[in-house]
Amino acid sequence: MNMSQPASLTSVSLSDVGVRYLLLTEDQRTFKGRVLNLLGPPPPAAQFWALQGIGLTIHAGEVVGVVGRNGSGKSTLLRVMSGVIQPTTGSVAVKGQISPLLELGGALNGELTGRENAYLYGALFKFSREQMDELIPQIVAFSELGPFFDVPIKTYSSGMSARLAFSIATQMQPEILLLDEILSVGDEQFQKKSYLRIKKLIDRGSMVAMVSHSSEVIERLCTRVVYLLGGKIVADGKARPVIERYRRDSAATF
């Protein structure tokens, strides 16, 4: 069942993207503080730029890893690509159907069963009931949830939720797959299955962008790596040299 657009149409392009957060003080956040501020001008809010001047284009068939220390803007970058966060400056152009796995089970409803979540997820991406009926057995088999597939996921462990979310999203064969640390959970066998599933998506022309604190995972799966530092791209190129630079920089800070 091939539900994708031609691979040549799939891409994500960011032009001069910046994301700014306002760091509000307690007086600016609380009701009491806002009332007191009516008596005089409030102090200006501090600003924090999570991303600055990001120019990046990823095409169909590319597997791009994003590395950087905590707070460098990795997760923010994926959220901008997915549309969860709108950039403060610049623009984002997406061609293709995006399936974002930006946090463990974050797209799942805890009150619903695994099966109900699968049908809900499918409906959001305009899959028919008949199409999902066809995919459900494969989702159950890949996730290895067995009878838990029909239990509310609020009873799941984080690993079970991650397996379910990954199984649903990848079984639907997305054109663009965004992964944020989703491969860091689960046992070794499930991780191997996940690697193979991602490689199959790549072979059929899907675009993959992923964040992981494991440079070994990035080097194993990605042909291209983007290195973020302080919200800016400081390196973008073939996996090994960019990862080696990231490791050198990280070692130099200790």
Side-chain angles (χ1 to χ4, degrees), residues 146-169:
F148 290 99
F149 192 66
D150 290 301
V151 172
I153 68 165
K154 65 183 179 182
T155 64
Y156 287 14
S157 66
S158 61
M160 292 168 69
S161 296
R163 294 207 310 269
L164 175 62
F166 183 87
S167 301
I168 295 171

Side-chain angles (χ1 to χ4, degrees), residues 173-216:
Q173 299 184 354
E175 295 157 348
I176 300 170
L177 181 64
L178 306 180
L179 302 172
D180 190 352
E181 294 292 349
I182 198 74
L183 296 181
S184 63
V185 299
D187 57 28
E188 185 176 353
Q189 180 184 1
F190 188 80
Q191 289 182 7
K192 287 180 179 179
K193 285 174 54 176
S194 300
Y195 295 146
L196 293 175
R197 173 64 61 84
I198 290 175
K199 287 181 179 178
K200 285 183 178 180
L201 291 174
I202 295 163
D203 289 342
R204 62 180 294 276
S206 294
M207 187 213 97
V208 179
M210 60 182 299
V211 165
S212 176
H213 284 294
S214 171
S215 56
E216 290 79 10

Side-chain angles (χ1 to χ4, degrees), residues 19-25 28-29 44-50 88:
V19 174
R20 180 187 62 193
Y21 295 117
L22 298 179
L23 306 179
L24 301 179
T25 66
Q28 293 166 322
R29 291 195 309 269
Q47 299 182 9
F48 170 71
W49 286 89
T88 308

